[in-house]
C-alpha cells in the first residue's frame, strides 16, 4: 500500500503524583485548553478532556506521526511546567510516572466523550483507584497493583 492510512482514537488517563488534589475547578478549563493545544501541536486532535481533582482523561485522535508514549511524555512535561506558573498553590505539582491508554472504536466515541465530560459527577461515587482498576479489567490488561500507584 503506497499510503499510510491510520485512525486511532485513544483514551489516555493519568493522575497527579500521589493522587494529590491539584486539578481544581479554578484551573481545569485553562489546563484543558493548554493540553488541547499540545495535542494539536503533535498532530493529535483532542476530542474531549476531563478531570477530577487528582487525575485527567484525554480522548484524542492519535497522529500516525507520533508514538503514543511520546505524546503522553510531551503532554505531561509541558503541562506540568505550565501549571507551576499559575500560582504558589501549584508550585509542587507533578504528574504520576505512568499512564493508561485504551483504544476506542468509532462506535464508542460519543459514549467515551460523555464519560470524560462528566468526571466530576462520576467521582462523587467512585474514586480514581477503583476507576482505573475497572478500566484495566474491562480491557483485559494484566497488572500488578503494587506498580500502578506511586
Amino acid at each position: 500500500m503506497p499510503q499510510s492510512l491510520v485512525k486511532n482514537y485513544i483514551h489516555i488517563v493519568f493522575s497527579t503524583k500521589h493522587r494529590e488534589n491539584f486539578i481544581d475547578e479554578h484551573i481545569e478549563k485553562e489546563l484543558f485548553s493548554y493540553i488541547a493545544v499540545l495535542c494539536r501541536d503533535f498532530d493529535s486532535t483532542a476530542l474531549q478532556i476531563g478531570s477530577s481533582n487528582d487525575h485527567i482523561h484525554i480522548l484524542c485522535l492519535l497522529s500516525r506521526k507520533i508514538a503514543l508514549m511520546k505524546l503522553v511524555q510531551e503532554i505531561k512535561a509541558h503541562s506540568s511546567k505550565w501549571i507551576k506558573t499559575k500560582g504558589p498553590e501549584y508550585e509542587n505539582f507533578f504528574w504520576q510516572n505512568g499512564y493508561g491508554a485504551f483504544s476506542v472504536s468509532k462506535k464508542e466515541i460519543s459514549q467515551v466523550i460523555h464519560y470524560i465530560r462528566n468526571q466530576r459527577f462520576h467521582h462523587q461515587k467512585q474514586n480514581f483507584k477503583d476507576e482505573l482498576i475497572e478500566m484495566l479489567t474491562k480491557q483485559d490488561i494484566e497488572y500488578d497493583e503494587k506498580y500502578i500507584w506511586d
Side-chain angles (χ1 to χ4, degrees), residues 55-108:
H55 71 283
I56 194 161
H57 293 254
I58 304 165
L59 175 63
C60 70
L61 183 55
L62 183 66
S63 171
R64 65 182 173 85
K65 300 175 188 175
I66 188 168
L68 172 61
M69 175 181 70
K70 179 69 172 168
L71 177 64
V72 174
Q73 176 185 25
E74 295 291 342
I75 289 170
K76 289 166 77 172
H78 291 287
S79 63
S80 182
K81 288 177 188 172
W82 171 84
I83 202 169
K84 289 176 183 181
T85 69
K86 293 300 169 181
E89 65 270 34
Y90 303 109
E91 64 188 19
N92 294 317
F93 179 89
F94 293 95
W95 293 115
Q96 74 175 106
N97 289 327
Y99 64 94
F102 312 97
S103 59
V104 178
S105 73
K106 186 171 170 85
K107 289 187 265 185
E108 296 174 312

Side-chain angles (χ1 to χ4, degrees), residues 12 32-47 49 58-66 71 74-75 78:
I12 303 166
F32 298 169
S33 294
Y34 189 80
I35 290 174
V37 169
L38 291 170
C39 288
R40 186 196 67 212
D41 288 349
F42 291 97
D43 296 323
S44 298
T45 305
L47 303 175
I49 302 172
I58 304 165
L59 175 63
C60 70
L61 183 55
L62 183 66
S63 171
R64 65 182 173 85
K65 300 175 188 175
I66 188 168
L71 177 64
E74 295 291 342
I75 289 170
H78 291 287

Side-chain angles (χ1 to χ4, degrees), residues 102 133-143:
F102 312 97
I133 298 294
E134 187 177 288
M135 293 172 87
L136 295 170
T137 302
K138 182 179 176 185
Q139 295 291 328
D140 199 25
I141 296 174
E142 292 183 26
Y143 63 92

